[in-house]
Amino acid sequence: MTAQHAIASPQLAKLTVKDFLLLSESGAFDEYARTELIEGEIWVVNAIHRRHARAHAVLTGELFAALKTIGSPLDLFANPSTELSNISLPEPDIVIAVPEDTKMLAGPEVRLAVEISDSTLDMDLGRKARLYAKHGVPEYWVVDVEARVIHQFCAPADDAYSERRSIAFGEPLNAATLPQLTVDTAAL
């Protein structure tokens, strides 16, 4: 029997990752390009346009080469579903994480999350930055293709990053939390 609770005013019902995955597997989101679960809310993700796709491909290649150069044991992922909590399952554009043999990438495994922003800059610098910080992602980059700059965040505390800097396309980007990892951004 389902218990009913008196509600004084309408409230937002938040989905869990389990609910979201069941809906996804049942085909509920088939008519949408991509969806994410952010703090219990379903977000439809924009189509990936040319500038976004190009920046994604270039940065993925540069990160892969940089990890190989330093002999890092970390794994590189493109668009992985990343379970940060039981109500958040974002799909960052790129993730560097510790190698694990699990079905779903878990938040504590993430060492760097990257969002490439063509039309989602406010979301990526705002809500997603707070989300990644809240769940302890050590470093977060937002690639702003319009302004031709990468916003680098590190040192998460509560729901914010205490350190932030911007690197113009063409300048080398040194990871703040991954020693010796430097990315060439000239091709972006």
Side-chain angles (χ1 to χ4, degrees):
M1 176 182 271
T2 303
Q4 293 185 351
H5 303 281
I7 299 175
S9 62
Q11 296 177 2
L12 178 66
K14 296 198 177 215
L15 294 178
T16 66
V17 168
K18 183 179 176 183
D19 299 331
F20 179 78
L21 292 173
L22 284 171
L23 285 167
S24 180
E25 290 165 6
S26 75
F29 308 129
D30 287 353
E31 293 190 27
Y32 301 100
R34 289 179 22 209
T35 55
E36 295 179 306
L37 185 67
I38 306 296
E39 297 175 321
E41 299 172 5
I42 299 169
W43 286 81
V44 176
V45 182
N46 295 337
I48 297 173
H49 297 114
R50 181 181 210 111
R51 292 188 311 170
H52 182 285
R54 184 177 182 289
H56 190 283
V58 168
L59 189 55
T60 299
E62 292 297 333
L63 281 167
F64 181 80
L67 287 169
K68 188 174 180 180
T69 296
I70 65 171
S72 176
L74 298 173
D75 285 337
L76 179 71
F77 297 92
N79 307 101
S81 294
T82 305
E83 189 169 3
L84 296 177
S85 70
N86 70 332
I87 60 168
S88 289
L89 188 68
E91 290 189 1
D93 289 298
I94 304 169
V95 168
I96 294 177
V98 296
E100 293 289 336
D101 189 22
T102 56
K103 180 177 179 180
M104 191 74 64
L105 186 62
E109 299 166 12
V110 176
R111 296 297 173 261
L112 170 68
V114 180
E115 294 286 358
I116 297 172
S117 188
D118 187 358
S119 60
T120 57
L121 189 62
D122 289 342
M123 176 78 154
D124 295 337
L125 292 176
R127 190 166 190 180
K128 282 197 173 177
R130 289 188 301 275
L131 179 71
Y132 292 130
K134 178 181 177 180
H135 293 288
V137 173
E139 190 165 352
Y140 174 55
W141 298 353
V142 176
V143 180
D144 181 348
V145 296
E146 182 69 29
R148 300 188 49 75
V149 67
I150 299 170
H151 304 279
Q152 181 183 32
F153 300 87
C154 62
D158 298 319
D159 64 350
Y161 285 97
S162 61
E163 295 180 31
R164 175 183 177 173
R165 67 185 190 120
S166 296
I167 297 86
F169 286 13
E171 294 179 18
L173 173 55
N174 299 307
T177 59
L178 300 170
Q180 301 176 318
L181 183 75
T182 299
V183 177
D184 181 3
T185 67
L188 287 172

